[in-house]
Amino acid sequence: MNRRNFLFASSAAAALGFGKSSLAEGKFEITRTEAEWRALLTDFEYQVLREEATERAGTSPLNHEKREGIFACKGCDLPLYSSKTKYDSGTGWPSFWQAMDDAVKTKRDVSVWGIRTELHCRRCGSHLGHVFNDGPQPTGKRHCINGVSLKFQEA
């Protein structure tokens, strides 16, 4: 295989999601069958939380949520983010500069967008979004989260 064919094949594999590890590979406190997840979630929630899809920017009502409270995992109710760490990143997705202690796990995400760091609920493995190094202090992180992955619980 020549270099050009190798690069083309590698790019195609990344675009199709090859090289991404499956959620099923992880060990989680809460596990459900595909049928149980589908009964719990809407079709779109299932696509995002279980198949790692992304909601369109600007579509989540949680972008405008300003009340004090907790943003919990839609898949298992684990508290993930405090409203105290939420900020308007201007990206169109709910953004936080820090997760709650022992709430999220990360995974390498290789796709057409390059190599990123994916965020998942540490208890059920649900896909949340990605973390970037362009957030505000004190962490410098931006947890860019699919609003459909969260449920807001007012304090």
Side-chain angles (χ1 to χ4, degrees), residues 76-92:
C76 71
D77 294 324
L78 179 70
L80 301 172
Y81 295 95
S82 166
S83 61
K84 292 177 173 74
T85 65
K86 186 175 186 287
Y87 72 101
D88 183 1
S89 66
T91 61

PDB file of all heavy atoms in Angstrom, residues 76-92:
ATOM      1  N   CYS A  76     -28.869   8.274  33.846  1.00  0.00           N
ATOM      2  CA  CYS A  76     -28.861   7.627  35.171  1.00  0.00           C
ATOM      3  C   CYS A  76     -29.044   8.579  36.345  1.00  0.00           C
ATOM      4  O   CYS A  76     -28.949   8.159  37.495  1.00  0.00           O
ATOM      5  CB  CYS A  76     -27.563   6.833  35.352  1.00  0.00           C
ATOM      6  SG  CYS A  76     -26.087   7.857  35.564  1.00  0.00           S
ATOM      7  N   ASP A  77     -29.263   9.860  36.081  1.00  0.00           N
ATOM      8  CA  ASP A  77     -29.489  10.872  37.122  1.00  0.00           C
ATOM      9  C   ASP A  77     -28.267  11.222  37.962  1.00  0.00           C
ATOM     10  O   ASP A  77     -28.385  11.911  38.963  1.00  0.00           O
ATOM     11  CB  ASP A  77     -30.639  10.475  38.058  1.00  0.00           C
ATOM     12  CG  ASP A  77     -31.978  10.434  37.353  1.00  0.00           C
ATOM     13  OD1 ASP A  77     -32.204  11.265  36.464  1.00  0.00           O
ATOM     14  OD2 ASP A  77     -32.802   9.561  37.693  1.00  0.00           O
ATOM     15  N   LEU A  78     -27.074  10.782  37.574  1.00  0.00           N
ATOM     16  CA  LEU A  78     -25.871  11.144  38.323  1.00  0.00           C
ATOM     17  C   LEU A  78     -25.626  12.645  38.181  1.00  0.00           C
ATOM     18  O   LEU A  78     -25.590  13.157  37.060  1.00  0.00           O
ATOM     19  CB  LEU A  78     -24.647  10.384  37.804  1.00  0.00           C
ATOM     20  CG  LEU A  78     -23.322  10.702  38.505  1.00  0.00           C
ATOM     21  CD1 LEU A  78     -23.321  10.140  39.925  1.00  0.00           C
ATOM     22  CD2 LEU A  78     -22.143  10.147  37.716  1.00  0.00           C
ATOM     23  N   PRO A  79     -25.454  13.372  39.289  1.00  0.00           N
ATOM     24  CA  PRO A  79     -25.101  14.795  39.188  1.00  0.00           C
ATOM     25  C   PRO A  79     -23.754  14.954  38.482  1.00  0.00           C
ATOM     26  O   PRO A  79     -22.762  14.328  38.878  1.00  0.00           O
ATOM     27  CB  PRO A  79     -25.024  15.249  40.645  1.00  0.00           C
ATOM     28  CG  PRO A  79     -25.857  14.267  41.394  1.00  0.00           C
ATOM     29  CD  PRO A  79     -25.656  12.955  40.673  1.00  0.00           C
ATOM     30  N   LEU A  80     -23.730  15.772  37.423  1.00  0.00           N
ATOM     31  CA  LEU A  80     -22.528  15.940  36.609  1.00  0.00           C
ATOM     32  C   LEU A  80     -21.908  17.327  36.733  1.00  0.00           C
ATOM     33  O   LEU A  80     -20.690  17.464  36.854  1.00  0.00           O
ATOM     34  CB  LEU A  80     -22.841  15.674  35.134  1.00  0.00           C
ATOM     35  CG  LEU A  80     -23.387  14.301  34.782  1.00  0.00           C
ATOM     36  CD1 LEU A  80     -23.823  14.269  33.317  1.00  0.00           C
ATOM     37  CD2 LEU A  80     -22.352  13.229  35.068  1.00  0.00           C
ATOM     38  N   TYR A  81     -22.754  18.367  36.654  1.00  0.00           N
ATOM     39  CA  TYR A  81     -22.261  19.743  36.634  1.00  0.00           C
ATOM     40  C   TYR A  81     -23.111  20.623  37.543  1.00  0.00           C
ATOM     41  O   TYR A  81     -24.330  20.516  37.553  1.00  0.00           O
ATOM     42  CB  TYR A  81     -22.300  20.316  35.215  1.00  0.00           C
ATOM     43  CG  TYR A  81     -21.376  19.617  34.264  1.00  0.00           C
ATOM     44  CD1 TYR A  81     -21.832  18.582  33.449  1.00  0.00           C
ATOM     45  CD2 TYR A  81     -20.034  19.965  34.188  1.00  0.00           C
ATOM     46  CE1 TYR A  81     -20.978  17.924  32.587  1.00  0.00           C
ATOM     47  CE2 TYR A  81     -19.174  19.301  33.323  1.00  0.00           C
ATOM     48  CZ  TYR A  81     -19.651  18.294  32.527  1.00  0.00           C
ATOM     49  OH  TYR A  81     -18.800  17.643  31.682  1.00  0.00           O
ATOM     50  N   SER A  82     -22.446  21.522  38.241  1.00  0.00           N
ATOM     51  CA  SER A  82     -23.130  22.526  39.045  1.00  0.00           C
ATOM     52  C   SER A  82     -23.394  23.755  38.186  1.00  0.00           C
ATOM     53  O   SER A  82     -22.575  24.108  37.321  1.00  0.00           O
ATOM     54  CB  SER A  82     -22.251  22.927  40.236  1.00  0.00           C
ATOM     55  OG  SER A  82     -22.745  24.110  40.840  1.00  0.00           O
ATOM     56  N   SER A  83     -24.508  24.419  38.428  1.00  0.00           N
ATOM     57  CA  SER A  83     -24.795  25.665  37.712  1.00  0.00           C
ATOM     58  C   SER A  83     -23.724  26.719  37.987  1.00  0.00           C
ATOM     59  O   SER A  83     -23.537  27.641  37.193  1.00  0.00           O
ATOM     60  CB  SER A  83     -26.170  26.197  38.112  1.00  0.00           C
ATOM     61  OG  SER A  83     -26.212  26.470  39.501  1.00  0.00           O
ATOM     62  N   LYS A  84     -22.996  26.558  39.074  1.00  0.00           N
ATOM     63  CA  LYS A  84     -21.929  27.512  39.422  1.00  0.00           C
ATOM     64  C   LYS A  84     -20.762  27.458  38.426  1.00  0.00           C
ATOM     65  O   LYS A  84     -19.979  28.398  38.350  1.00  0.00           O
ATOM     66  CB  LYS A  84     -21.418  27.247  40.836  1.00  0.00           C
ATOM     67  CG  LYS A  84     -22.435  27.569  41.923  1.00  0.00           C
ATOM     68  CD  LYS A  84     -21.886  27.224  43.298  1.00  0.00           C
ATOM     69  CE  LYS A  84     -22.782  27.683  44.404  1.00  0.00           C
ATOM     70  NZ  LYS A  84     -23.982  26.917  44.596  1.00  0.00           N
ATOM     71  N   THR A  85     -20.638  26.362  37.674  1.00  0.00           N
ATOM     72  CA  THR A  85     -19.540  26.239  36.709  1.00  0.00           C
ATOM     73  C   THR A  85     -20.012  26.409  35.269  1.00  0.00           C
ATOM     74  O   THR A  85     -19.219  26.271  34.344  1.00  0.00           O
ATOM     75  CB  THR A  85     -18.824  24.876  36.857  1.00  0.00           C
ATOM     76  OG1 THR A  85     -19.725  23.818  36.516  1.00  0.00           O
ATOM     77  CG2 THR A  85     -18.290  24.673  38.262  1.00  0.00           C
ATOM     78  N   LYS A  86     -21.287  26.732  35.070  1.00  0.00           N
ATOM     79  CA  LYS A  86     -21.830  26.926  33.723  1.00  0.00           C
ATOM     80  C   LYS A  86     -21.495  28.338  33.246  1.00  0.00           C
ATOM     81  O   LYS A  86     -21.500  29.283  34.021  1.00  0.00           O
ATOM     82  CB  LYS A  86     -23.340  26.727  33.735  1.00  0.00           C
ATOM     83  CG  LYS A  86     -23.982  26.766  32.355  1.00  0.00           C
ATOM     84  CD  LYS A  86     -25.466  26.448  32.462  1.00  0.00           C
ATOM     85  CE  LYS A  86     -26.118  26.344  31.106  1.00  0.00           C
ATOM     86  NZ  LYS A  86     -26.287  27.608  30.437  1.00  0.00           N
ATOM     87  N   TYR A  87     -21.209  28.462  31.966  1.00  0.00           N
ATOM     88  CA  TYR A  87     -20.963  29.778  31.383  1.00  0.00           C
ATOM     89  C   TYR A  87     -21.374  29.772  29.914  1.00  0.00           C
ATOM     90  O   TYR A  87     -21.555  28.715  29.315  1.00  0.00           O
ATOM     91  CB  TYR A  87     -19.490  30.184  31.543  1.00  0.00           C
ATOM     92  CG  TYR A  87     -18.531  29.430  30.661  1.00  0.00           C
ATOM     93  CD1 TYR A  87     -18.040  29.997  29.495  1.00  0.00           C
ATOM     94  CD2 TYR A  87     -18.112  28.137  30.985  1.00  0.00           C
ATOM     95  CE1 TYR A  87     -17.156  29.307  28.668  1.00  0.00           C
ATOM     96  CE2 TYR A  87     -17.226  27.443  30.168  1.00  0.00           C
ATOM     97  CZ  TYR A  87     -16.763  28.039  29.016  1.00  0.00           C
ATOM     98  OH  TYR A  87     -15.896  27.353  28.200  1.00  0.00           O
ATOM     99  N   ASP A  88     -21.532  30.953  29.343  1.00  0.00           N
ATOM    100  CA  ASP A  88     -21.902  31.081  27.934  1.00  0.00           C
ATOM    101  C   ASP A  88     -20.629  31.118  27.107  1.00  0.00           C
ATOM    102  O   ASP A  88     -19.927  32.121  27.068  1.00  0.00           O
ATOM    103  CB  ASP A  88     -22.724  32.344  27.710  1.00  0.00           C
ATOM    104  CG  ASP A  88     -23.196  32.485  26.269  1.00  0.00           C
ATOM    105  OD1 ASP A  88     -22.906  31.582  25.440  1.00  0.00           O
ATOM    106  OD2 ASP A  88     -23.845  33.488  25.970  1.00  0.00           O
ATOM    107  N   SER A  89     -20.339  30.016  26.436  1.00  0.00           N
ATOM    108  CA  SER A  89     -19.123  29.912  25.624  1.00  0.00           C
ATOM    109  C   SER A  89     -19.319  30.495  24.228  1.00  0.00           C
ATOM    110  O   SER A  89     -18.349  30.659  23.487  1.00  0.00           O
ATOM    111  CB  SER A  89     -18.697  28.445  25.504  1.00  0.00           C
ATOM    112  OG  SER A  89     -19.668  27.720  24.758  1.00  0.00           O
ATOM    113  N   GLY A  90     -20.570  30.773  23.863  1.00  0.00           N
ATOM    114  CA  GLY A  90     -20.850  31.278  22.535  1.00  0.00           C
ATOM    115  C   GLY A  90     -20.830  30.199  21.456  1.00  0.00           C
ATOM    116  O   GLY A  90     -20.899  30.503  20.270  1.00  0.00           O
ATOM    117  N   THR A  91     -20.746  28.933  21.863  1.00  0.00           N
ATOM    118  CA  THR A  91     -20.653  27.837  20.903  1.00  0.00           C
ATOM    119  C   THR A  91     -22.011  27.275  20.499  1.00  0.00           C
ATOM    120  O   THR A  91     -22.114  26.572  19.498  1.00  0.00           O
ATOM    121  CB  THR A  91     -19.818  26.665  21.477  1.00  0.00           C
ATOM    122  OG1 THR A  91     -20.477  26.174  22.656  1.00  0.00           O
ATOM    123  CG2 THR A  91     -18.400  27.107  21.794  1.00  0.00           C
ATOM    124  N   GLY A  92     -23.048  27.534  21.306  1.00  0.00           N
ATOM    125  CA  GLY A  92     -24.367  26.989  21.016  1.00  0.00           C
ATOM    126  C   GLY A  92     -24.687  25.730  21.802  1.00  0.00           C
ATOM    127  O   GLY A  92     -25.752  25.140  21.629  1.00  0.00           O
TER     128      GLY A  92
END
